[in-house]
Amino acid sequence: MNTRFSLRVGSADLFGWGWSSWLFFPFGLWMARKNRQSWPVLAVFGSLVLVYLAYWVGAWLFGPRYYFEGLYSLTLLTALGVFSAAGWPVKRRPWPRRRGWRPLAVTALLALLVGLNVAFYLPLRLGGMRGLYTIRRSRLAPFLSAEAQRLTPALVIVDTEHWMPYGNLLVLEDPWLTTPWIFAWSRGAGPDLRVAQAFPDRTIIRYNPEEPYRFVIWRYPQR
């Protein structure tokens, strides 16, 4: 069931053409049937699908991300299909006039599909990710004020039940913990104290995302 769900979502997200994302696959398979050197490359995607049959969860939010490493198989297969449908490559011999329309028709169809994706599917898909998990730039505003900057360098212990308000703030810190603000998700009195004691040169602030402009300086017990 999860595999079917991931493939259904992936069929739309692959090129943003809905079910038409698979349109050129039959042509590509037909063109690659005698080129055995291409088979291992084109089989990567199918191999990942088989491996992830044993995985319990599907993926839809950002597309079928578990298959991401194999998407080049599908893009190459689609490219082969486009070439086949358009009658490329053209051999150096006279072609009947009736074949002259194929490259133009395939090019026009591709332009239409890409245009529909850019105009309709992509804005709709990206719009669904705006404010996802309540993560918004407005949540950073309290830390950018002049009053808050006077408290830096600071370690902010975020008191929240869920990770999203904490994760929203991580854009303000770097992996080396050298930025004016660094953040920790409150995990209880003991863990919070140990984290605070690890940064004696920083102001320790307890922060409740429900009261965004209130910074409580924590006077924790010293070692």
Side-chain angles (χ1 to χ4, degrees), residues 7-28:
L7 289 174
R8 185 168 65 250
V9 173
S11 67
D13 279 352
L14 180 59
F15 298 116
W17 303 345
W19 284 104
S20 300
S21 293
W22 305 88
L23 179 63
F24 294 102
F25 286 2
F27 299 97

Side-chain angles (χ1 to χ4, degrees), residues 1-13 52 55-68 121 125 129 133:
M1 180 179 295
N2 288 329
T3 300
R4 288 199 302 269
F5 183 71
S6 295
L7 289 174
R8 185 168 65 250
V9 173
S11 67
D13 279 352
Y52 277 105
Y55 194 46
W56 64 274
V57 68
W60 65 271
L61 186 57
F62 299 108
R65 60 184 182 274
Y66 303 119
Y67 305 151
F68 179 78
Y121 186 83
R125 195 73 169 89
M129 300 177 189
Y133 299 131

Side-chain angles (χ1 to χ4, degrees), residues 98-109:
R98 60 186 177 84
R99 289 205 174 188
W101 60 269
R102 286 176 57 183
L104 293 176
V106 171
T107 302
L109 177 59

Side-chain angles (χ1 to χ4, degrees), residues 49-128:
V49 173
L50 289 176
V51 168
Y52 277 105
L53 281 172
Y55 194 46
W56 64 274
V57 68
W60 65 271
L61 186 57
F62 299 108
R65 60 184 182 274
Y66 303 119
Y67 305 151
F68 179 78
E69 297 90 341
L71 291 185
Y72 67 88
S73 295
L74 302 185
T75 55
L76 290 174
L77 191 61
T78 298
L80 282 174
V82 170
F83 270 63
S84 177
W88 296 323
V90 178
K91 297 180 180 179
R92 292 186 177 180
R93 62 183 178 83
W95 284 83
R97 288 187 177 181
R98 60 186 177 84
R99 289 205 174 188
W101 60 269
R102 286 176 57 183
L104 293 176
V106 171
T107 302
L109 177 59
L110 276 177
L112 175 63
L113 291 172
V114 171
L116 290 174
N117 174 41
V118 172
F120 299 104
Y121 186 83
L122 194 58
L124 182 65
R125 195 73 169 89
L126 295 179

Side-chain angles (χ1 to χ4, degrees), residues 36-206:
R36 294 192 176 186
Q37 292 180 334
S38 68
W39 292 0
V41 176
L42 299 179
V44 171
F45 179 80
S47 301
L48 281 176
V49 173
L50 289 176
V51 168
Y52 277 105
L53 281 172
Y55 194 46
W56 64 274
V57 68
W60 65 271
L61 186 57
F62 299 108
R65 60 184 182 274
Y66 303 119
Y67 305 151
F68 179 78
E69 297 90 341
L71 291 185
Y72 67 88
S73 295
L74 302 185
T75 55
L76 290 174
L77 191 61
T78 298
L80 282 174
V82 170
F83 270 63
S84 177
W88 296 323
V90 178
K91 297 180 180 179
R92 292 186 177 180
R93 62 183 178 83
W95 284 83
R97 288 187 177 181
R98 60 186 177 84
R99 289 205 174 188
W101 60 269
R102 286 176 57 183
L104 293 176
V106 171
T107 302
L109 177 59
L110 276 177
L112 175 63
L113 291 172
V114 171
L116 290 174
N117 174 41
V118 172
F120 299 104
Y121 186 83
L122 194 58
L124 182 65
R125 195 73 169 89
L126 295 179
M129 300 177 189
R130 186 178 180 87
L132 188 65
Y133 299 131
T134 71
I135 294 177
R136 296 182 293 271
R137 181 173 176 79
S138 59
R139 289 185 177 270
L140 304 179
F143 296 89
L144 303 178
S145 66
E147 180 182 356
Q149 291 297 319
R150 287 195 289 269
L151 299 174
T152 60
L155 163 66
V156 180
I157 299 177
V158 184
D159 292 307
T160 179
E161 182 178 355
H162 301 289
W163 67 266
M164 289 83 82
Y166 159 72
N168 200 148
L169 304 174
L170 294 183
V171 69
L172 296 177
E173 76 172 33
D174 64 21
W176 301 275
L177 305 180
T178 59
T179 45
W181 299 103
I182 62 175
F183 300 89
W185 184 11
S186 177
R187 308 308 294 159
D192 291 355
L193 177 59
R194 289 193 292 273
V195 171
Q197 290 174 338
F199 296 91
D201 297 330
R202 287 181 175 266
T203 304
I204 309 301
I205 296 173
R206 300 205 70 101

